[in-house]
Structure formats: C-alpha cells, structure tokens
Amino acid sequence: MPAVSKGDGMRGLAVFISDIRNCKSKEAEIKRINKELANIRSKFKGDKALDGYSKKKYVCKLLFIFLLGHDIDFGHMEAVNLLSSNKYTEKQIGYLFISVLVNSNSELIRLINNAIKNDLSSRNPTFMCLALHCIANVGSREMAEAFASEIPRILVAGDTMDSVKQSAALCLLRLYKTSPDLVLMGEWTSRVVHLLNDQHMGVVTAAISLITCLSQKNPDEFKTCVSLAVSRLSRIVSSASTDLQDYTYYFVPAPWLSCKLLRLLQCYPPPEDGAVKGRLVECLETILNKAQEPPKSKKVQHSNAKNAILFEAISLIIHYDSEPNLLVRACNQLGQFLQHRETNLRYLALESMCTLASSEFSHEAVKTHIETVINALKTERDVSVRQRAADLLYAMCDRSNAKQIVAEMLSYLETADYSIREEMVLKVAILAEKYAVDYSWYVDTILNLIRIAGDYVSEEVWYRVIQIVINRDDVQGYAAKTVFEALQAPACHENMVKVGGYILGEFGNLIAGDPRSSPLVQFNLLHSKFHLCSVPTRALLLSAYIKFINLFPETKATIQEVLRCDSQIRNSDVELQQRAVEYLKLSSIASTDVLATVLEEMPPFPERESSILAKLKKKKGPGAVSVTELEDGKRESGELNGSGERGQDAAAMAASNASTPSPSADLLGIRSAAPVNAAPASAGSLLVDVFSEVGPAAPSGAVNDDGFLRFVCKNNGVLFENQLLQIGIKSEYRQNLGRMYLFYGNKTSVQFASFSTTVSCPGELQNQLNVQSKPVEPLVEGGAQIQQVLNIECLTDFSDAPLLNIKFRYGGALQNLTLKLPVTINKFFQPTEMASQDFFQRWKQLSQPQQEAQKIFKANHSMDTEVIKAKLLGLGMALLDNVDPNPENYVCAGVVQTKSQQVGCLLRLEPNAQAQVPVPAAGLPSL
Amino acid sequence: MQFMLLFSRQGKLRLQKWYVPLSDKEKKKITRELVQTVLARKPKMCSFLEWRDLKIVYKRYASLYFCCAIEDQDNELITLEIIHRYVELLDKYFGSVCELDIIFNFEKAYFILDEFLLGGEAQETSKKNVLKAIEQADLLQEVRPAPLKP
C-alpha cells in the first residue's frame, strides 16, 4: 500500500481543511471560506498564468467548499483546462470537479466533450477509464449525443482492456437510462449478450447490469441471455468456495454476480428448453440446500452474502410461480428466518413472504406462520419491521383467518405509530368488508376503527359503512343499535357522530320501540354532540333531524324548536342557515304524505369497487402486489358503468330530497356513491341489457368486454378507460362495409413506448369478417392521442366479435389489454320501410323454427317510449309506424347486408307495462 | 443504486454520490431528511427502511454512517455488503481508515468509489483489482507520463 501522507502533494489544501475544522462557529467557517474564495478568484483572474499544480489545488479547494454545502459559481473553466493536462493527477481532479459540479453551460459542455473524446481515443486505458467514469457520472443528454454510438464499439472491441470494458458497460447503462432513444444496440446486441461468457468475472459483473436493463426494455432481442445466464449461474453455484479466488467473498463465491444473474432471469418467464430449465431448478435447489448447511464463517458478511443470493433465488421462484415444490421450500425457509435473531433477516422474511402469500401454491404454507407474524406485530421493537408484519397479515388474510387478523390489527392500531395509522385503518376496513360473513361483525369493526383511530378514518371509510348498511337490510337494526350505544360515550369522535347521525336518521325507527332509545332520547343524544362538531357534520345532523320529523312525528315540536332558535336560523354559515330555514319551512307546510315522499329511506347504492380499496391503491401506487392481488374480480371501471351520469342523477335527487342544492349537502349525496333504482331512467343501457343473452357474469378470460354491450345500439363513444389509457370509437357502416376510427389517448404525463395494436378474428370469425388495420405509431407522448383506422367487411353472418389487443410500455412495465371490438351483426342492417299488410304477410311466411326467435324478459328500467324508440333505431332497423294494430307495440324491419347474402329481419316488441313485468316478444326471423 | 451518502454521527456529510440527476436543492433536501431519519434510529434496529418509493440500506462504522438508496427490486443484503466492501477498500488503502482520512483525502475516497461502483452498479467487486487500479493511478501521480503514442 502506498503510504498516504495527508493530502499528499497538496499542502495548501490540507491546511485549508484544518482551518475549517478548527473554526469554532458557523460564522467563523463562512468567514474563512469567503476569504479563501476571494483568494482563489483573484488567483484565477490574475495576470500571472497559473501552473497546473496550483490550478489543481484551487479547483480541489473549490470542490471541498462545495461539498461542505456552499454554492460555487466559478472555477469551471479552470477545471476544464485541467482535463487536457498531461499529468494524470491534474486530469483526475479536473474530472472529479466536472463529475460533481456539472453545469449545463453549453460552451463548457462542448469543451468537456472534446477533452473526453481525446481521452477516449488515447488508447491509454487509465485515461479512457477516467473519461468513461466522467460520462457515467454526468450522464447528460449532451454526452449521450456525443458518445452513445462510440461506447458500444469500445465495449465489444477485441483489443479493449478488461477494466475499460467494465467502465464502458456501466457508462452505456447510465446513458441508456437517461437517453434510451440515443443508445441503439442493434448490431452489437449479440456480442454484448456474449459478455456473459467472458473469462473475466469483473467484466461479467459490470456487463450484466447493462444486459438486465436492456432486457427489461427489449426482452425479445436479448432472450438468448437466459441460457447463458443459467449456465454461468450453475458454474458459480457448484464451484468450491476457493475456485473464484478474489471473487469469493467471505467463503461465498461471487455473491454480487450471482444476485445479478438471478435478477436478470426475473426479466423472463421460465426457460422453455427443458435442459436449461432443469439446470436452473437444480441451481435453485442447491441454493436452498446451502441455506441449511452450517455456516463456513461466523462473520455477518458471510451470512449476508449467502442470504442475499437466497432471497434473490426466492424472488425468482416467486416470479416463476410455477414450481409448487420450490415455493413451499422457499416459504419454509422464510419461516425459519421469521424467528431469526438478526432483525434484518426477520424484516426481509416478512417482506418476501408477502409476495409468497399471493401465490396459490404457497398461500396455505404462508398461513401456517400466522402466530409468529402476529407476535412480530406485537413485540418487534422496530417500527419498520412491525409495518412489514402488518403488510404480511394483510396479504395472508382470507375468509378462514379474517376475524383473528382483523382483531389483531385493531388492537395493534391502539399503539401503532402515527405514520402508518391511516394505512392500517384502510387495510382493516378492506379486510372487514371483503371477508364479512355476518355484517354485524363488519359494523362492529368499522365502529371500533372510528373509536380507536377516528382521526385516521378517511371519508371513504365511513362512506363505505353507510353504503353497506343501506344496502343490507339485515344489518340496519343492529347498526342503529350499535351506533346508538357508541354515541353514549362522553367523548366520541366526530366521524362517529357522522355515522351515527346518518344511520339514526335512516333507521332510528328500528330501535325506537325500546324506551331506552325512544325517538326523543335518540334526538337528544345526537343533539348533545351538535355543538362540538364542525360545519359539515352539523349540516348532516340537521338533515338527520328533518328525517326524524318524518320518522317520528312526536319529535316534530322539539326539533322545530331547535331549528327555530337563533343559532340555527340565523347561523352565520350560509349552508347551516339555509338548511335550518328550509327544513323548518318544509316541516311546517308539507303534508305528511309529501314529507314521507321527500324524506323517504335512501335506496340501495349500486355495487361497485370499494372506494376504500381505490384509496389504498392510490396510496400504494398501482404496483402494490398485496393490494392488486386481493382485489380479485371486483375490478370494474366506474366510468364504464355510466356512473358519471348516474352520479348527477343522484345529486339531483339529493337536492330534491333534502331541498338543499348546495354541493356540501353530503347527507344524501355521498359523492361517488349514488342510488340507482330510484334515479330517473338515464339514457344508459336499456335495450342493451335486453339483447344481452350472455348476462353480466360470463368472464371471457382476460378479455375486457365491459364497454362492448353499450355499443350495440350506438356507434360512437368511449370503449375503454383506465388510469392510463382511454380508447374512443367512432364508426360508420354502409351496406356490408364499415369503417371504425379508434382513438388511443394517453392519460398520463409519461410517454407510452412500444405501443402496438392487433385486431384478430378468433375461430370461425376469420371466415365471416374481414378486418384490416393500419399499424400505429409506437410512441404515444404523455397527454397525446393517436388514431387508428379499421376497415371492416362483413362476409357472412357472424356472432362473435373481433378482439383488439393493445400492448405498450408504461414506465418500463408492459401493459397488455384485450378488448372486444363492438362489431355486431346489426351494424350491417339496412332499414326497410314497408306497409302493414306487407309486414304481416312476411311475418307469417317466416314460420319455421329456425326462422324465429322469441324472448320474454323483464325490463331493467322503466319503459320510456322515446328511449325505447331511440334504442331500436340505434339497432339499425327501420321503426315502422301504423303497422301493428296495437299502438303500444313496436315493429321494425331491416335487411342484414353481408357479402355473400342479404338477410331480411322483422322485429316486434310488445311491452307490458301494467303487469310491472313487461312481456315484449321479439320475433327475429332470419333467412 | 440511486445515491450513496456518508455522514458522521453529528450529521456532517462526508461524501455524497448521486447516480440520478437531481437539482442541488433536491439533493440538500434529501440529505437533510435522510440524515435526520437515520440518526434517529436506535442501534439494534434493522438496517433497511422504506423511504418515499425507495429502500434505504445503511450501516454505521465507528463514527460514520454509510447510507445507500436502492430501488424496489434491488437486493438489500447485497447492498449492505457493497457498503462493507467499500469500507474494506478504504481501510486497506488508508491503512485502518478513520473519519479524518476521508475528510482530508476526500478526492481519494471518490476515486476508490468510482473504481468500485459506476453509475450505481458494481463495476469490480474484487478487492485486489480495485486497489491495483488505484495504485497504478497513484504511481502516475508521481511520474510525468511518457508522451502518448499517436
């Protein structure tokens, strides 16, 4: 080792650093620094040309000052000058300064790039490495532009020194991360992949980071790396601990490289080649076996390196999710770690088990550790470990252990750290809802949540409990009784008052028979909280009061008295004042009947994705496994259900019901959740439902057909929408030809890469329908929309729909989506006008069984003549007036145009409004 | 790896290496926040913590904290050993390294780090090879290199 004298060669620097360290105060330090800055500035500006040594020394001082946290606004030029020095030590300091203090001053960048270019072509490996380090450290776009094409050449050239190859590989990686568009591997791909075979372990270690990153972005081009990685891994895993000499770390052969190889393999599915797969499984088994062997050293470095490989292997096993044997072994291994004395291992075992819990093969095995995990939640001293334990409990929860887990999480919540309470509350609320068998348990759990951690119970959580109570009449009485009891507590959380107010306002009558909870007692209880509450809660309570007047006429006088007092009717808050005035008036002038209608019980809410799940997802980001795994098939897009329109209906209704059209009228208009059946028939899906013989419960694999049915009777609209992407459709049809415009809108601010779409006609459909599409641009910028045109030709009659598959990369992750394209046979209808006589003559001719179809169905919505007419026209047939003797009936005629033949169709719809069970008959003769 | 910070028990930053482009202001904010978080942790606590959307891996050696920020899919334990290997390199180079060595020879600490990690990834994990590269450079410090071949 060279004897390093402090600051060798730069005495001035050492003196300066000592001075700074001796400063007694911050002020003294700043004073000393300013003195030095002035000195350096004058030297740089002075007439006398500085020699290289002085320049190096001053640049180094500036660097030191910068690293102390002070701004440096000069010296860049001097540092750039050092780059072209012949003296290595000066060049090195110059590069260090540039690496730490880049300035995107274009003049300077050009000079820096010039110096780098010179060093790269110097053939002196030490200089080349310095230049490559600088590019890797700065990694700016300008550098990528200048060097992205040069570096791959250096990387694969036969005469490049190993150390330069290593730097080149990682330098390229950095440039690829900042400017992927400028780094084109193309012809170099295969030679770069073959670096995995390099004799020099250091070269492999550096190259594999590059290959992993490139594989994530272009898996197909790099897929040959899989077999190379497996054989390299196999050689390392089976080597004796001394074989790899200096690449053995505390008796573990090449731990860094092993981890990176296992990580690279996680970019791909399990190898298809049986031999390769066999070899890999062998490696994974060996790694698991080694974990059971006695340690070769007591040093923590030995066990860390060994376990690093083990955890990476387990990640790969989980990634494959196809080897039950390995998954269970992994789970058992992690189970051992759960009780390890090393906190780090316990932490990682909890984390890793979280992902294992979502695999069907290991879910049960994970569940066996529940007691240990609960114990961890109670006894771990480190909050980050407790957090992992809570995550794991959430992930391993299912119907069999939900009550136990929820109870444990609730009791943990009482002492939980503030930083994680909100998330814990959401998780408890979700588990309670998801696994509720009896809803009284659910209500108890949520009320407990509010009691224990009221401040952390977000709106979504208490909205949700109300939605559920309203939708399930078996729990309403219990809920009323429970909130009534909860409100008895001398100090209750405001959220409890909200829930209590709402529920008693709706269902207080269910417990009013008991004299201990008579209407007046209920009212007095609620009103005793009134003055402690915020304005929105008070507004909610006022609405509860008016509901009380309707439910219990005997409370009318008392409540009117309250509404009439100055603090209500002259309240300075407009919302409260308006409610007080209007409710008072309403209760005085409206008849009992009117009051009963206006203040009717709330109708059920439509079933949809739990709003709290959405909230948790938002908190955790879309990648959170534990959340997405648990969400099951509940996923559905709110927009697609037309909830947008219905939400407005609900708002309108809330307004008419509570006579307060203010946006903060929250009692009845619980924002996103809206009552459905009492809403005026929206233009949503009327006959669409009618013609859907499939029904909603027919999940067709991964195909998303949520939007499909809505397009049976219309040609334009939004087919699909999620957080990333919106797909709109415009289509037009003539004879047997159609043209469809698809609009793909990027809803994010990030570019979609490798965007591609394919339209396919599965099975018989390929002989029935001809769909041609033009390819789309592979890049969709953030916020941009691109268009694609499809030309459609109907060859003969068909019943399936073509599939549209969309793939793209968003933030590195591949998105894959398949939708049913709304091309249905009725799109090729040509409306036909005919007279009554004609119609019935033809109708009678179509008498054979296969020429006729009849269906009786219950209308899901109220039958509005105009809406039905619009639907039938949307279907594409002509609506014939004055044909049917019964004017209530609807009669249509049309011809389906296909290339091979034309098929006439007649239709009759006979609504039966009186019976409340409409019985229309649709004759749909064919041929 | 996104960045590495070395700081003292008093919270003084001794070395900072950033592998992602960030403004000076952001760097200072991150540093302040992390130094505070890590210093507040007790000795027996685990070496990993979630921070924003990153994982922090840290370890204390004598008076110095070594702290790395890695991404979600990165391996915590191997990062812990990256820290250890860097400490070993410093130790071997300076001969039983202490905080003062890093203060007075900060540029050397950077050079050693650059030989070991580049762009946030391990470049050369062999202790021998890294030190050889540094030694060669040190030799070049003493002699003026021969004129370069064309």
Side-chain angles (χ1 to χ4, degrees), chain A residues 1-2 4-8 10 13-14 17-18 21 29 60 63-64 66-67 69 71 86-89 92-93 96 100 122-124 126-127 132-133 136-137 163 166-167 170-171 173-174 177-178 200 202 205-206 209 216 246-247 249-250 255-256 259-260 263 300-301 304-305 307-309 311-312 343-345 347-348 351 381-385 387-388, chain B residues 1 12-14 16-21 24 27-28 41 44-50 55 59 61 71-82 84-85 88 92-95 99-101 103-108 110-111 114-119 121-129 131 133 135-138 140-145 148-150:
Chain A
M1 266 309 85
V4 184
S5 57
K6 306 244 184 301
D8 71 332
M10 285 193 279
L13 176 65
I17 295 176
S18 294
R21 286 180 53 75
E29 183 186 308
C60 216
L63 192 51
F64 181 79
F66 176 78
L67 291 171
D71 292 334
N86 272 337
K87 277 195 172 170
Y88 178 77
T89 148
Q92 200 183 19
I93 295 291
L96 179 60
V100 176
S122 71
R123 307 180 71 82
N124 174 333
T126 328
F127 286 11
L132 289 168
H133 291 180
N137 282 325
S163 60
Q166 288 166 275
S167 299
L170 294 174
C171 183
L173 170 61
R174 176 68 195 267
K177 281 184 183 164
T178 37
H200 191 282
T205 307
S209 297
Q216 280 167 339
D246 210 34
Y247 289 93
Y249 179 83
Y250 291 86
W256 286 279
C259 285
K260 287 186 177 198
R263 174 88 198 90
V300 68
Q301 284 76 28
N304 278 352
N307 292 328
I309 300 173
F311 276 104
E312 206 60 66
T343 313
N344 287 346
L345 284 182
Y347 176 94
L348 294 175
E351 188 185 42
R381 277 184 295 175
D382 184 346
V383 51
S384 39
V385 186
Q387 164 97 62
R388 290 286 83 82
Chain B
M1 188 183 297
K12 288 228 181 223
L13 192 58
R14 295 304 181 201
Q16 45 176 317
K17 189 78 189 178
W18 304 86
Y19 298 111
V20 282
D24 283 347
K27 288 178 186 172
K28 280 186 181 162
R41 290 175 64 87
K44 283 280 171 190
M45 285 186 165
C46 92
S47 311
F48 320 124
L49 56 133
E50 277 185 341
K55 301 196 283 199
K59 186 158 180 175
Y61 287 86
E71 280 152 65
D72 192 46
Q73 72 275 14
D74 291 337
N75 188 312
E76 290 99 335
L77 284 175
I78 208 72
T79 308
L80 210 47
E81 294 318 299
I82 290 233
H84 187 75
R85 172 110 298 178
E88 285 184 346
K92 193 93 184 181
Y93 181 78
F94 289 108
E99 194 182 338
L100 279 181
D101 291 319
I103 295 172
F104 279 95
N105 303 286
F106 67 95
E107 79 282 10
K108 288 283 179 349
Y110 276 99
F111 297 148
D114 270 355
E115 289 294 335
F116 175 43
L117 296 180
L118 194 59
E121 300 284 341
Q123 173 176 220
E124 177 54 87
T125 59
S126 151
K127 195 155 62 173
K128 235 188 269 172
N129 289 353
L131 290 171
E135 272 170 52
Q136 274 172 354
D138 276 341
L140 285 175
Q141 304 225 355
E142 309 306 325
V143 290
R144 184 182 286 269
L148 298 172
K149 282 173 234 153

Side-chain angles (χ1 to χ4, degrees), chain A residues 831-897:
Chain A
T832 316
E833 296 290 342
M834 58 179 76
S836 174
Q837 201 185 351
D838 243 8
F839 183 90
F840 283 103
Q841 195 179 354
R842 287 169 193 247
W843 185 270
K844 281 180 191 121
Q845 279 168 4
L846 301 166
S847 54
Q848 289 169 29
Q850 71 269 29
Q851 289 181 321
E852 191 172 359
Q854 178 165 333
K855 192 166 183 229
I856 300 174
F857 52 88
K858 189 170 170 177
N860 289 348
H861 305 268
S862 66
M863 293 185 292
D864 179 282
T865 312
E866 289 310 311
V867 174
I868 293 179
K869 277 186 180 171
K871 287 287 163 194
L872 289 172
L873 286 173
L875 197 63
M877 303 174 88
L879 188 61
L880 306 178
D881 287 330
N882 306 323
V883 169
D884 200 289
N886 181 350
E888 295 290 311
N889 291 350
Y890 302 88
V891 174
C892 303
V895 178
V896 175
Q897 307 272 346

